[in-house]
Amino acid sequence: MPHLYRSLLGVLITISFAEAAPTITRLTPPSELFSSGREAPVIARFLPDQRFDLQATVRPDAGQSITGFEFAVDGKAIKVAAERTSKVTEGLVKDMPAGTTVVSLRAFSHTVPGVHGLSLTATQSDGQTVTARGNFEVVALNGKNGKPARNVIILLGDGMGATHRTAARIMAEGYGQGKARGRLAMDTFPYTGMVMTSSLNAIVTDSSPGMSNYVTGNKAANNQEGVWPDDTVDAFDNPRVEYLSEYLHRKHGKALGIVTTADVFDATPAANAVHTADRGFGTGIADQYLDDRKLTGLTVLMGGGRKWFLPNSGDSVKPQPANGSQRTTRNDYVLPADIVAGWGAAPGAKDPQRDLIDDFQKAGFAYASDYANLKAYAPKADKLLGLFAYSNMNVAYDKIGGRRGSSSVVNDYGFPDQPMLDEMASAALTVLAKQPKGFYAMIEGASIDKQSHLMDSDRWIMETLEFDRAVKVAQDFAKKNPDTLVIVTADHECSGAAIIGAATISNAQLRSKIGTGTKDAQRDEVVGVYEASGFPQYKMLADGYPETTDIDRKMLIGYGANADRYETWLANATPTQDSQQPFVGKEPLKNYPANPNVRNQGQGFLITGQVPGQQAVHTATDVPLSAFGRGAHLFTGVFDNTEVFFKIGQIVAGGAGKPQAD
């Protein structure tokens, strides 16, 4: 009986202390060991010496505070300078109990391959302690594996699934008796795999982790890039993980080039160089490109987004400044001291009046404001900034229309002399090829995604054609520089696009049905499936684009992740409004259709969507990845998006090896 009493007393004492002890509610890097108690799969994985932050959220007992903490790896305490650590109790997300503390250790790295245990022990003011455990892996590199790659080019067709590639091929090359008469450039890459695209917190990713996962080797949460989630509200203090650009610049001296048809602050370009928990903080994102160029090796930055680089004489965008500036303190950044100390990052400043274009030029960047400047400056420049629109650049359909004199859209936006993506890619590679230790470049066809969201089939197909011409530029570069790896892929699929067939009637007959607004007239009498779809034939002109997308018996696209829309099957004369343009509410842009739910209303028939809202959405469908050049053979099979990072790391740092014989 006394023995039983002592046992029960021991249990009660244990329960009492367990109930009284502080608790650790978050441990970063993320791990299944911490969240579920399972040791696999290992979520956080790193290249040897890749840097990343350690962080935890600790909740003390009522009336207590957290007085100390210690991170340990494999049971050995991590000792770093005090300025690389912090305890934060203010600026936390809502509903955190009083005294909740976020503790951080910045810019840790480990060089020993294998799975390692991570622990955090926190002490509260009454002396009680609590320990939480997780794990991470350091992925080994084979250092004697043949010749390494000097240059890496990732071409990212945002939102580009298999359907997008197929539709572009049908339009560009045509089919004869079931066989393609030609191939896209990306079709000629010798190795192809399939990529699983999910983010840290959802099966359906957005573009921030969609890109970030490729170039950190770790899962990010939706709307976040280069960081993991935390429990603070600051968009720029989240725990970081080192980007491919930073790793390659720090370890191998390589330069970084970023080219996009989007606003340069957008998720995909920023998720190569900027660490933030909010992809919408445009002022801070644009500033970090320049401020932290010594960390990333930034040498080329091109796209739209001039609105973030122009000084704002005040601190508001209502009314819109006459120069189009969108700079405000609300979306700017100042970093905490421990990030500055640990990462060597610039501290930042809330400075809406900053002339960022001028600062880039003072840092040695040539500045191109249009295609004429780009052609003139690229051959001579060692560093290059190109900003060709206030926000997102016009899409290929409208840029080509402007060059042919058949469209005024580029004039309506105020930027008639915008380069095409292949012209930007060529200029970027001209500059980057001068870098003595090689480079990493990301070239994005951004509006494949944006026009898929809007279910504007003609425009996203043309975007894919423009993107493929940039692929050809990169492929030709790699042929001349065989120590180059070229990857073509997407961050996710957008809209659930599907080639459903082709129109059974001529373009003139299709136009005669405008305004009938019935499924009988505009669907049942138009849509040809199976053998009725035949083989649509487009006439391609010397500029590489179709004479018109409104041909007789044109290819028809359906959507599986669509919002409501009115469908005529004909090309829309103007694009749908782009809400990111600073002057979208003024003439003539305010007269463009606001969204697909009103576009073609009264002309087309209503197709009811599967998703709420006014746009199609991303899907969780795997996407193709094709590879060419040094190490391309490693990109086959089905693999997670984070695996791309480790394959590139092996090819650059350890050597590409040789394809295995069958």
Side-chain angles (χ1 to χ4, degrees), residues 583-595:
F583 299 112
V584 68
K586 297 185 177 181
E587 298 277 0
L589 299 183
K590 74 174 186 178
N591 298 320
Y592 286 19
N595 57 68

Side-chain angles (χ1 to χ4, degrees), residues 507-520:
N507 178 257
Q509 290 171 316
L510 191 57
R511 291 184 180 279
S512 72
K513 295 181 179 295
I514 290 291
T516 58
T518 68
K519 292 181 180 179
D520 287 345

Side-chain angles (χ1 to χ4, degrees), residues 268-311:
T268 300
N272 286 275
V274 178
H275 300 269
T276 180
D278 192 329
R279 58 178 286 183
F281 274 54
T283 306
I285 289 170
D287 284 1
Q288 275 198 26
Y289 278 127
L290 180 65
D291 295 347
D292 283 342
R293 66 192 182 280
K294 293 181 180 179
L295 297 180
T296 64
L298 183 70
T299 301
V300 174
L301 179 64
M302 281 197 285
R306 199 180 300 178
K307 66 184 184 181
W308 306 113
F309 292 72
L310 299 169

Side-chain angles (χ1 to χ4, degrees), residues 541-570:
L541 300 185
D543 58 19
Y545 297 90
E547 181 179 42
T548 177
T549 59
D550 281 338
I551 62 169
D552 294 342
R553 299 177 60 85
K554 74 179 290 186
M555 176 171 46
L556 302 181
I557 307 296
Y559 299 94
N562 59 309
D564 295 351
R565 76 181 190 280
Y566 288 91
E567 185 61 80
T568 66
W569 308 116
L570 295 167

